[in-house]
Amino acid sequence: MKHTWMLLRIGKTSKYASTIARHIKTAIFQETKLTATAGVSINKFLAKMASGQNKPNGLTVILPEDAIAFIEQQRIEKFYGIGEVTVALMHSLGIHTGAESKERSLLELTHYFGKAGHYCSCHRCRVISTPQNSSVRYTLDQS
């Protein structure tokens, strides 16, 4: 199955990102007969993770108040930018979820994983400190 994706940024004042996502999904299907999976959230990182849910024709919205809990329950291998080798090492250290990575210090994660450790540790900062722009990420599934 082939797929492609696009990212749509919606300004701070828009409260209708999920409505826009539904309309775009419908338009894609009517025009191409292809399904699209959309993830909607407050930043690209979360929208990308949301778009991985409910494939091949889903719409997942992660609200700001749900963002930290969503990240904490995700498996490390779901984090964008964390590869197989890093996942294996994290698992060997007992880190399997976002919550377990959050328990570790930035110093420890950076020591073991370099940039990937910093990225994994800062996921909660991305959720909290990113401006409240809505991002919508689509994956178009082509059979």
Side-chain angles (χ1 to χ4, degrees):
M1 180 183 311
K2 296 179 182 178
H3 70 272
T4 187
W5 65 273
M6 72 175 178
L7 178 70
L8 171 66
R9 286 210 174 268
I10 301 169
K12 291 180 183 181
T13 59
S14 179
K15 296 180 181 178
Y16 305 104
S18 60
T19 301
I20 293 168
R22 268 193 291 285
H23 286 297
I24 293 173
K25 280 174 50 62
T26 300
I28 289 168
F29 187 76
Q30 288 175 344
E31 183 73 25
T32 67
K33 300 301 183 225
L34 298 174
T35 61
T37 302
V40 178
S41 196
I42 58 174
N43 60 36
K44 181 180 176 182
F45 176 74
L46 288 170
K48 185 169 181 66
M49 290 186 77
S51 73
Q53 310 287 309
N54 302 316
K55 287 189 174 223
N57 192 24
L59 170 61
T60 301
V61 178
I62 303 172
L63 299 172
E65 59 269 21
D66 300 329
I68 292 173
F70 178 84
I71 291 294
E72 288 177 349
Q73 66 186 0
Q74 294 302 304
R75 302 214 29 97
I76 289 298
E77 44 268 61
K78 296 274 188 171
F79 283 39
Y80 176 72
I82 305 290
E84 291 179 20
V85 173
T86 302
V87 166
L89 183 53
M90 286 185 161
H91 286 180
S92 74
L93 294 169
I95 302 170
H96 301 275
T97 65
E100 291 169 345
S101 75
K102 189 176 176 181
E103 294 169 358
R104 305 299 178 102
S105 72
L106 176 59
L107 182 64
E108 178 185 8
L109 291 173
T110 304
H111 170 75
Y112 284 110
F113 307 107
K115 181 181 171 186
H118 184 265
Y119 179 84
C120 195
S121 175
C122 289
H123 71 271
R124 62 188 180 278
C125 298
R126 291 175 182 272
V127 172
I128 295 167
S129 66
T130 302
Q132 297 291 312
N133 289 326
S134 294
S135 292
V136 181
R137 183 182 185 273
Y138 294 91
T139 302
L140 303 179
D141 299 314
Q142 304 172 3
S143 300

